[in-house]
Amino acid sequence: MFLPIWFQWNVINHYNNRFETHDMVNLVYFAGNFILSAVAGASSERCGSATSRKGCQEFAWAIAGARLWTVLFTFYAAYHNKRYSVAIFQYTVFDILVIILWMATSFMHSGEYCGSEVNKCWIPFIFLWWLTLLIDTCRLFLAPILSSKLKLVKNRLEMIPLDVSLLAERHELFIILSIGEVVVSALAGGVSGHSGDDEHHRRLQDGHTDDESGGGDDGGQNEYEMVIVIVCIAFAIKTWYFDLYDPPKPTGATCAYRKHAMSVSPYHGLTWIFLHIPLNIAIVMTGSVLEPLKLEGDFDVTSSRIIGTCLAIIVGCCTGFDLLHSGCGVQLRKVGKKTRVAVHVVFMFALLLVPFLWDFGDNPSCFLWVMLALMMVGVVSTFYMHRPLYVSEKALEAPHDHGIY
């Protein structure tokens, strides 16, 4: 359910980055997206539920409607910016194909006809679903490649300007929302060993467990311990993404600052964007596994392996970001990029292998503290490796074509 929403958000994000204006037209565009997003959110809750899986058709219609809404306003923007019409056309062709596929998907049998169990009846729906996502992926990569090969855009004046700083900021806001899912799992009601709907909806302000449930003060202490360790994991994720890497300057005006991946080359930029897909999925999955653990003490070997894998993916994506940004050929950090990557790979394998090598049994608290310790050791080591290295002004002013530092 995440990928269709992310791709549509990315399309809206790029439209706003290029054509957003503070007028009535943009207000109407925002209102339409707001309504369609609400429909998609409500239907995704039912479609993604293993108990009913109803609402999948409505979800496909909502995504198709949101894409069509953006295409209509893109045509409006092309009418008033005729020199960008060719550049707009190369993306709009893919958008129209995506709309057709989502509409076709909505007519396939889903939960209302096939039931909640995924069986052969679901095959046409699932096939079209993933085919549409594949076309959406090709949209970002193939559109600029075809434009370059076919020489559709004659000169740089016909290319649509992109505000790199704003686009990076929007992706950072999406990451904040994903990290919020981890924080929400810490605030979920109930403690280990409790069950029932009432306990499921209890919140942290209760402070202690009910005496009737047999939890006593130990249950309250366990609850606070889980809250602390989960929030600390969210803090570690935030630190890895936001605080360890100095924000590259989009203009790359001076080698004293690294150039952002989107300013290095189109393929660096596209890779940077797509790395946010596994990053967001890993963060949200971490929160989704931690929530039942906090609510009902639901913990097993599978849960630990999922959490370890997700944390390893998060570290891997942050390492990828470090690789994609350019240092203009000058080593700006105390430790070179190749060494930093090697150290990060060690932490990735540690986070990935610990749940597979050790069985923590019914002790989720111990497992989470081990994961947190590994994350924080990685934070400290990365902070040390990214300490600035003194570089002479003469070296900074020298022209550099490519750099990996």
Side-chain angles (χ1 to χ4, degrees):
M1 304 302 297
F2 173 83
L3 288 177
I5 295 174
W6 187 90
F7 275 115
Q8 182 54 36
W9 171 84
N10 190 59
V11 170
I12 296 172
N13 187 19
H14 277 74
Y15 172 87
N16 286 330
N17 189 286
R18 292 180 166 111
F19 304 116
E20 184 177 17
T21 55
H22 298 286
D23 56 9
M24 184 58 68
V25 174
N26 188 72
L27 184 63
V28 173
Y29 176 68
F30 173 81
N33 280 321
F34 199 76
I35 295 171
L36 290 167
S37 298
V39 175
S43 56
S44 66
E45 187 75 17
R46 293 182 292 130
C47 180
S49 173
T51 57
S52 66
R53 298 204 183 277
K54 296 181 179 180
C56 293
Q57 292 179 329
E58 291 84 351
F59 178 79
W61 274 109
I63 297 296
R67 186 62 61 91
L68 178 61
W69 190 246
T70 300
V71 168
L72 293 176
F73 280 84
T74 302
F75 285 147
Y76 173 82
Y79 176 78
H80 291 281
N81 301 271
K82 290 184 171 57
R83 66 174 177 175
Y84 301 139
S85 57
V86 175
I88 292 174
F89 172 78
Q90 66 186 16
Y91 287 101
T92 305
V93 170
F94 285 94
D95 286 330
I96 293 174
L97 180 58
V98 168
I99 293 170
I100 294 173
L101 288 174
W102 275 122
M103 293 177 66
T105 304
S106 67
F107 286 105
M108 298 295 106
H109 293 310
S110 58
E112 288 80 357
Y113 181 85
C114 301
S116 59
E117 184 179 353
V118 178
N119 48 37
K120 293 182 179 179
C121 179
W122 282 85
I123 290 178
F125 182 90
I126 294 175
F127 173 77
L128 285 176
W129 180 289
W130 286 104
L131 177 62
T132 308
L133 295 179
L134 177 62
I135 298 298
D136 238 343
T137 304
C138 295
R139 173 187 178 274
L140 284 181
F141 280 100
L142 287 182
I145 293 175
L146 292 176
S147 176
S148 175
K149 295 295 183 182
L150 301 177
K151 301 184 185 306
L152 297 177
V153 179
K154 304 300 182 183
N155 56 67
R156 295 181 63 88
L157 295 178
E158 296 179 358
M159 298 176 63
I160 308 173
L162 185 66
D163 190 333
V164 175
S165 299
L166 181 59
L167 189 64
E169 180 184 348
R170 296 286 171 84
H171 280 280
E172 290 172 358
L173 292 174
F174 204 102
I175 291 293
I176 292 175
L177 293 175
S178 298
I179 294 176
E181 292 295 321
V182 181
V183 177
V184 166
S185 68
L187 302 179
V191 295
S192 178
H194 293 272
S195 59
D197 293 338
D198 293 338
E199 290 292 331
H200 186 82
H201 292 91
R202 289 181 59 191
R203 289 294 182 261
L204 181 61
Q205 59 262 33
D206 292 336
H208 298 282
T209 58
D210 294 332
D211 292 338
E212 296 177 358
S213 62
D217 293 337
D218 291 339
Q221 293 174 2
N222 291 334
E223 181 179 6
Y224 282 121
E225 182 184 9
M226 293 300 297
V227 169
I228 292 171
V229 69
I230 292 175
V231 170
C232 287
I233 289 175
F235 168 78
I237 295 172
K238 179 263 181 190
T239 305
W240 268 99
Y241 182 80
F242 287 98
D243 299 338
L244 293 183
Y245 309 106
D246 55 316
K249 301 301 178 183
T251 58
T254 171
C255 285
Y257 302 99
R258 296 192 300 168
K259 290 179 66 175
H260 196 283
M262 286 186 288
S263 298
V264 176
S265 73
Y267 302 107
H268 278 72
L270 289 172
T271 305
W272 181 86
I273 290 174
F274 268 88
L275 275 178
H276 282 80
I277 297 178
L279 177 61
N280 281 288
I281 292 176
I283 296 174
V284 173
M285 284 190 65
T286 301
S288 65
V289 175
L290 289 174
E291 184 168 358
L293 170 61
K294 170 65 170 56
L295 284 171
E296 303 167 356
D298 186 9
F299 179 80
D300 53 22
V301 175
T302 303
S303 300
S304 64
R305 291 176 179 177
I306 291 175
I307 294 174
T309 303
C310 289
L311 294 179
I313 291 173
I314 292 169
V315 174
C317 290
C318 292
T319 304
F321 296 146
D322 190 22
L323 277 170
L324 291 170
H325 300 315
S326 171
C328 302
V330 179
Q331 181 169 335
L332 304 174
R333 302 289 152 243
K334 191 175 185 66
V335 178
K337 182 171 288 188
K338 293 181 180 179
T339 305
R340 297 201 302 266
V341 171
V343 173
H344 293 163
V345 170
V346 171
F347 282 107
M348 287 173 55
F349 277 103
L351 290 166
L352 185 64
L353 294 178
V354 165
F356 287 89
L357 297 178
W358 284 275
D359 184 6
F360 290 87
D362 296 329
N363 193 355
S365 176
C366 178
F367 166 74
L368 294 179
W369 281 114
V370 171
M371 291 290 102
L372 176 60
L374 288 173
M375 291 286 288
M376 294 310 297
V377 171
V379 166
V380 173
S381 63
T382 305
F383 178 77
Y384 172 80
M385 291 187 295
H386 273 259
R387 291 177 61 192
L389 179 69
Y390 173 75
V391 182
S392 66
E393 294 183 3
K394 184 177 180 180
L396 293 175
E397 294 173 357
H400 299 280
D401 296 328
H402 302 284
I404 61 171
Y405 298 102

